[in-house]
Amino acid sequence: QVQLVESGGGLVQAGGSLRLSCAASGRIFSINAMGWYRQAPGKQRELVAGITNGGLTNYAGSVKGRFTISRDNAKNTVYLQMNSLKPEDTAVYYCNAELLFGNSWGQGTQVTVSS
């Protein structure tokens, strides 16, 4: 079992920046990849960015060039640096760990971008 704890959400003005953190604990060896998802009110949860154990990354088109996902293996932590934030980035952001069998999710952290 893997536990994920997110932090770093909050309220920011359009054009501002935030950095989200996701600390993993438990059966870390079972993690294949990690990622950030978001869910806005009335919308489906969508992938924002992902990173493999080898460091390969992928991004949703809407955030490419503005968001950067990274990981610190020594701290078992994944980060999402979000720059040039837009009101449409407002959502609950969830950390996800893709495991050998199944997935693990964090509790979510709210990001609100005011115009």
Side-chain angles (χ1 to χ4, degrees), residues 16-101:
S17 299
L18 283 175
R19 189 176 82 153
L20 306 182
S21 300
C22 173
S25 61
R27 300 169 69 89
I28 305 297
F29 63 88
S30 66
I31 297 176
N32 288 327
M34 295 188 71
W36 288 95
Y37 288 71
R38 67 186 181 188
Q39 187 166 19
K43 294 187 176 181
Q44 289 190 328
R45 191 172 297 188
E46 62 174 357
L47 174 68
V48 176
I51 186 167
T52 68
N53 285 348
L56 295 176
T57 59
N58 64 292
Y59 297 91
S62 60
V63 307
K64 199 171 292 185
R66 300 188 297 122
F67 291 11
T68 302
I69 189 170
S70 61
R71 63 192 298 165
D72 184 334
N73 291 328
K75 296 182 179 180
N76 297 321
T77 300
V78 172
Y79 304 96
L80 184 68
Q81 178 67 43
M82 305 184 294
N83 298 328
S84 302
L85 282 161
K86 304 175 181 180
E88 51 263 44
D89 294 319
T90 295
V92 178
Y93 284 69
Y94 296 91
C95 181
N96 169 269
E98 179 187 302
L99 310 177
L100 289 173
F101 302 102

